[in-house]
Amino acid sequence: MSLSELRVFGRSGTPVSPLTLGTMNFGEGNGGPTGAEESIRIIHAALDAGITAVDTADVYSQGESEQVVGRALRGRRDDIFLATKFHGQMSPNPAHSGNSRRWITQAVEGSLRRLQTDRIDLYQAHRPDYNTDVLETITTLNDLIRQGKILYYGTSVFTPAQLVEAQWLATTNHLIPPLGNQVPYSMLVRGTERDVLPIAQQYGLGVLAYGPLAGGWLSGSFSPEPGKAPTRVHSLPGRYDMTGPASERKLLAADALARLADKLELSLVDLAVGFALTHPAISSVIIGPRSEEHLRAYVQASQVRLSESVLDAIDDVVPPGTNFVERDAGAIVPSLEFAELRRR
């Protein structure tokens, strides 16, 4: 698949490239691995390669990622489908977060300023907010569309029930409904195939799939051999705990997929990106390069077309609809995270 083979983002009629440049790694303000100047070079290289969509968030490096994107897009803004997100806490004040009307109306102004633009193409709720009524959130976003500050709005890692609720509330209250949803999706994280992706297709949602390498599990740096785990295992134990049986099964699956890639004479990145691009519900796959070398590997992987037999072989390793650990869904719903919600 060539990056010039654009896809339509949901029911919007807007064409986007099969790959979207994710910018979570850009900016050093919050420990990001890639400095501003190198980040700008990566963005320019991505656009030159044919990528037409860029995804960021206000909380990435506490606004620095958006600033970098704004600088990099000078003179090219009108050619790019620009997406950003709100929800994360942007200061020591906990009121500077969430999905309330009070915060969204402040957050959008900050993003517009940092991005140096007069409108955001896709404005996304980064996570569900269980303290804010969904109708308040979508009414506020509807108002931002009417004001011309955003063109479309969407969600990220909303549950199936939340996706349907948002569509129903918008329709019954004569509001513009959400257009997109952002989900984790990879050969090791396939839970969205059960219901989220079919719901997206039913309602004509554009889907941005992030984490095609499953947070590094499919980067080739993980191994079931003792002492072979990367440093992030120790820095993010909640997601990379190797001691539990679920993670052990996940690690064995990652190793089996690496061996499948070798058999096919593909890199594991080739296999992973090719897989994520195959699902018909996916509008574009978000990549998160930390260097131009990483970007080139992703662009090369986007050319890979997987046959039915290869997809069947992947299904044999990780059955459709499988998530090995709950955290891979992107967010844990309160009813599962807090025991007091399940007990009298």
Side-chain angles (χ1 to χ4, degrees), residues 180-225:
N181 191 40
Q182 194 168 133
V183 300
Y185 185 60
S186 72
M187 293 188 291
L188 292 176
V189 181
R190 303 185 62 176
T192 55
E193 293 174 335
R194 289 185 177 274
D195 35 37
V196 171
L197 294 182
I199 287 171
Q201 290 174 298
Q202 179 181 352
Y203 287 100
L205 300 180
V207 177
L208 296 177
Y210 71 85
L213 303 188
W217 286 76
L218 296 173
S219 65
S221 58
F222 279 56
S223 170
E225 298 178 30

Side-chain angles (χ1 to χ4, degrees), residues 31-329:
T34 309
E37 298 309 316
E38 184 177 1
S39 298
I40 290 172
R41 287 194 295 271
I42 293 171
I43 294 171
H44 288 166
L47 304 188
D48 292 342
I51 291 176
T52 66
V54 176
D55 177 74
T56 186
D58 56 5
V59 77
Y60 293 164
S61 295
Q62 289 293 287
E64 189 177 345
S65 175
E66 286 187 326
Q67 291 174 340
V68 168
V69 170
R71 288 176 55 194
L73 294 186
R74 288 176 189 165
R76 306 179 75 165
R77 169 66 186 92
D78 290 343
D79 297 327
I80 299 303
F81 184 77
L82 179 59
T84 192
K85 300 182 284 292
F86 64 89
H87 174 84
Q89 190 166 327
M90 289 295 290
S91 82
N93 184 349
H96 294 169
S97 64
N99 299 353
S100 68
R101 173 178 287 273
R102 183 179 184 276
W103 175 240
I104 292 171
T105 55
Q106 295 179 63
V108 71
E109 298 297 341
S111 288
L112 288 168
R113 183 180 63 255
R114 288 185 292 267
L115 291 166
Q116 302 180 43
T117 186
D118 62 352
R119 84 281 182 196
I120 294 163
D121 294 314
L122 178 65
Y123 200 39
Q124 304 157 103
H126 207 158
R127 291 292 185 272
D129 181 352
Y130 292 92
N131 295 315
T132 301
D133 188 87
V134 175
L135 182 58
E136 175 173 330
T137 300
I138 66 174
T139 300
T140 305
L141 293 167
N142 181 85
D143 291 346
L144 293 181
I145 291 178
R146 300 301 187 192
Q147 295 164 20
K149 294 180 179 180
I150 68 174
L151 302 186
Y152 309 108
Y153 73 93
T155 56
S156 178
V157 299
F158 273 40
T159 66
Q162 289 166 337
L163 291 175
V164 174
E165 180 187 14
Q167 294 291 321
W168 182 81
L169 284 172
T171 300
T172 56
N173 288 278
H174 308 290
L175 303 172
I176 300 170
L179 176 69
N181 191 40
Q182 194 168 133
V183 300
Y185 185 60
S186 72
M187 293 188 291
L188 292 176
V189 181
R190 303 185 62 176
T192 55
E193 293 174 335
R194 289 185 177 274
D195 35 37
V196 171
L197 294 182
I199 287 171
Q201 290 174 298
Q202 179 181 352
Y203 287 100
L205 300 180
V207 177
L208 296 177
Y210 71 85
L213 303 188
W217 286 76
L218 296 173
S219 65
S221 58
F222 279 56
S223 170
E225 298 178 30
K228 293 288 187 177
T231 56
R232 71 174 70 192
V233 171
H234 309 293
S235 61
L236 295 170
R239 188 172 181 188
Y240 299 97
D241 180 8
M242 296 296 184
T243 60
S247 290
E248 290 175 4
R249 291 194 297 271
K250 184 178 176 182
L251 189 59
L252 290 172
D255 186 61
L257 293 169
R259 287 186 274 109
L260 174 62
D262 286 341
K263 180 180 178 181
L264 297 169
E265 298 183 340
L266 296 172
S267 72
L268 189 52
V269 173
D270 289 340
L271 189 66
V273 173
F275 170 83
L277 285 169
T278 298
H279 197 290
I282 302 300
S283 306
S284 187
V285 172
I286 299 174
I287 58 171
R290 298 190 302 274
S291 67
E292 289 188 66
E293 180 182 1
H294 290 161
L295 173 65
R296 287 191 291 271
Y298 280 121
V299 171
Q300 171 61 37
S302 71
Q303 314 297 316
V304 173
R305 295 179 184 270
L306 302 182
S307 67
E308 291 291 328
S309 61
V310 170
L311 294 171
D312 288 343
I314 294 171
D315 289 349
D316 288 341
V317 176
V318 182
T322 297
N323 276 5
F324 288 91
V325 294
E326 183 66 28
R327 190 173 296 271
D328 284 344

